[in-house]
Amino acid sequence: MTGSSNELFDFIAMALAKFVATEGEDSHLFPGRQRELGFTFSFPVRQSSIASGTLIKWTKGFSIEDAVGEDVVSELSKAMERVGLDMRVAALVNDTIGTLAGGRYNDPDVIAAVILGTGTNAAYVEQIHAIPKWHGPLPKSGEMVINTEWGNFQSSHLPLTEYDQTLDDESLNPGEQTYEKLISGMYLGEIVRIVLLRMAEELLIFGDIVPSKLKIPFILRTPDMSAMHHDTSSDLTVVGKRLGDILEISDTSLRMRKVVVDLCDIVATRGARLAAAGIFGILKKLGRDTLRDGEKQRSVIALDGGLFEHYTKFRNCMEATLRELLGPEVAENMVIVLSNDGSGIGASLLAASHSQYLETE
């Protein structure tokens, strides 16, 4: 995550070569044909064609300076050559666009895709006349997919606290990805750690000595936070065990464990409600936040990502907030579907639809 561009892309190419080596006898190609690849790339790129795009910046804790400004398809292609893989990237696909493509393939009512995992992003289908920055040829459908890169959304209306400021100051990308730092899996556990550290320093909640492990950034991961938040045992055993195993804080009182659960609830609830507000913003932009002349439009959101899939309380709160924002009548026609590995499936579909062999079949 912090090495050189060659190290990163060589690692990907070697993993790919290992996977290809496991293919069975039934997966032989036609003679003289290359394998074709859909390349899911979950970072902001300036895409110049279906199979080329330069990296604008890293997010989610990646920091590989010599890759910024480079064509990521070219970098992967060179790495595949170095490991002797004869493959062609047929489509470079942002993971959110892949999820939208996969979702739309399965259900024509899918109008947007959202990733809520390590990072976050959203994409939706827009009418071409509503895109003032587009100056190219008009698509026949009259529609175009918009990749919002909403993780970088910043606004004076976002409820930032001093803890968010601390997280931002200590991050690899200060001043960037503000919305992502409030709602995504990379950061929720870290916000909990920062608040606990402040409580340990100022309120001495863990005794006179501040636990040294509590000072280590990102030591408390969001899956750990989720496990503590979902602890239903009468004495909050899971909370006690995680505090002991990860932060080396032993002999915590039940009262203290309850404080930790409450803190997890506050951080998760804020993140889930803000995520719902983002989805509502897209529905509002598309005019799907109200009933038009009583007509009932079905609006499906394809959602992928481990945070949404595995953090049940986060997911339930987000869905409840969206219903609250839309009102019961509109919410009745809004469906969120878990699109498990939707991005990989969508990238495969887009690669297949841009195969160099389509004309010959």
Side-chain angles (χ1 to χ4, degrees):
M1 291 170 75
T2 54
S4 70
S5 183
N6 278 5
E7 284 174 311
L8 172 66
F9 286 100
D10 283 353
F11 173 78
I12 295 170
M14 285 188 286
L16 189 54
K18 274 185 199 165
F19 173 74
V20 170
T22 66
E23 288 186 331
E25 289 299 307
D26 57 348
S27 61
H28 286 305
L29 295 160
F30 288 107
R33 287 194 175 187
Q34 276 181 303
R35 282 185 178 83
E36 294 181 298
L37 190 67
F39 181 15
T40 303
F41 191 71
S42 317
F43 302 93
V45 296
R46 187 165 284 108
Q47 194 150 354
S48 43
S49 74
I50 189 66
S52 62
T54 54
L55 175 62
I56 296 170
K57 64 175 181 182
W58 291 107
T59 57
K60 292 176 287 214
F62 277 72
S63 182
I64 300 169
E65 288 308 312
D66 63 338
V68 176
E70 296 297 324
D71 181 347
V72 294
V73 173
S74 169
E75 293 295 295
L76 179 60
S77 300
K78 286 186 285 190
M80 289 193 294
E81 264 179 58
R82 287 194 290 271
V83 299
L85 256 186
D86 182 26
M87 266 191 170
R88 167 185 169 266
V89 176
L92 171 66
V93 184
N94 177 277
D95 60 334
T96 323
I97 302 296
T99 301
L100 182 57
R104 187 75 167 234
Y105 181 79
N106 289 315
D107 185 340
D109 289 334
V110 168
I111 53 158
V114 174
I115 304 288
L116 280 167
T118 306
T120 183
N121 193 10
Y124 70 101
V125 182
E126 182 61 280
Q127 295 299 313
I128 192 71
H129 62 73
I131 311 171
K133 71 194 269 188
W134 178 253
H135 302 297
L138 298 181
K140 289 185 188 127
S141 66
E143 295 178 327
M144 185 170 285
V145 173
I146 301 287
N147 170 14
T148 66
E149 288 298 341
W150 81 3
N152 203 31
F153 175 64
Q154 302 188 34
S155 164
S156 59
H157 297 289
L158 287 175
L160 297 173
T161 66
E162 58 198 283
Y163 310 108
D164 300 306
Q165 193 57 58
T166 300
L167 183 149
D168 187 55
D169 291 343
E170 293 174 356
S171 71
L172 286 169
N173 52 351
E176 296 181 351
Q177 301 298 109
T178 304
Y179 186 48
E180 182 166 87
K181 287 169 180 168
L182 293 168
I183 72 172
S184 80
M186 172 103 186
Y187 301 104
L188 295 179
E190 176 65 357
I191 297 168
V192 170
R193 180 198 70 84
I194 290 167
V195 179
L196 282 177
L197 178 60
R198 175 71 66 85
M199 292 168 80
E201 289 170 342
E202 295 185 3
L203 303 175
L204 306 178
I205 59 166
F206 299 121
D208 293 340
I209 299 167
V210 176
S212 59
K213 287 284 174 88
L214 196 52
K215 295 176 182 175
I216 302 171
F218 293 99
I219 191 170
L220 189 67
R221 295 161 56 250
T222 301
D224 303 315
M225 168 191 172
S226 173
M228 294 192 291
H229 195 180
H230 290 99
D231 189 355
T232 54
S233 60
S234 58
D235 58 350
L236 298 177
T237 314
V238 175
V239 178
K241 188 165 182 351
R242 296 284 166 135
L243 292 174
D245 292 351
I246 299 161
L247 301 173
E248 294 179 0
I249 300 168
S250 51
D251 304 324
T252 49
S253 66
L254 181 57
R255 181 168 167 269
M256 179 43 54
R257 294 176 192 185
K258 283 180 176 171
V259 167
V260 171
V261 173
D262 285 346
L263 174 57
C264 293
D265 188 63
I266 290 165
V267 173
T269 299
R270 181 186 70 161
R273 287 180 71 79
L274 285 170
I279 296 171
F280 178 72
I282 289 176
L283 291 170
K284 192 176 175 70
K285 175 76 173 70
L286 293 172
R288 288 175 178 255
D289 59 324
T290 54
L291 288 180
R292 293 182 192 164
D293 306 325
E295 134 194 28
K296 296 197 169 181
Q297 285 178 294
R298 186 167 171 269
S299 302
V300 182
I301 312 284
L303 226 146
D304 195 10
L307 177 65
F308 180 79
E309 184 178 358
H310 301 298
Y311 200 146
T312 308
K313 285 182 185 284
F314 182 99
R315 180 175 68 245
N316 292 345
C317 178
M318 192 199 85
E319 290 178 334
T321 304
L322 199 48
R323 287 194 296 272
E324 177 192 322
L325 289 167
L326 289 167
E329 277 191 279
V330 180
E332 214 175 275
N333 302 300
M334 195 275 308
V335 184
I336 292 179
V337 292
L338 176 63
S339 180
N340 210 330
D341 192 32
S343 60
I345 294 161
S348 300
L349 289 165
L350 289 168
S353 66
H354 287 86
S355 167
Q356 63 189 325
Y357 304 116
L358 280 180
E359 298 302 313
T360 61
E361 286 173 5

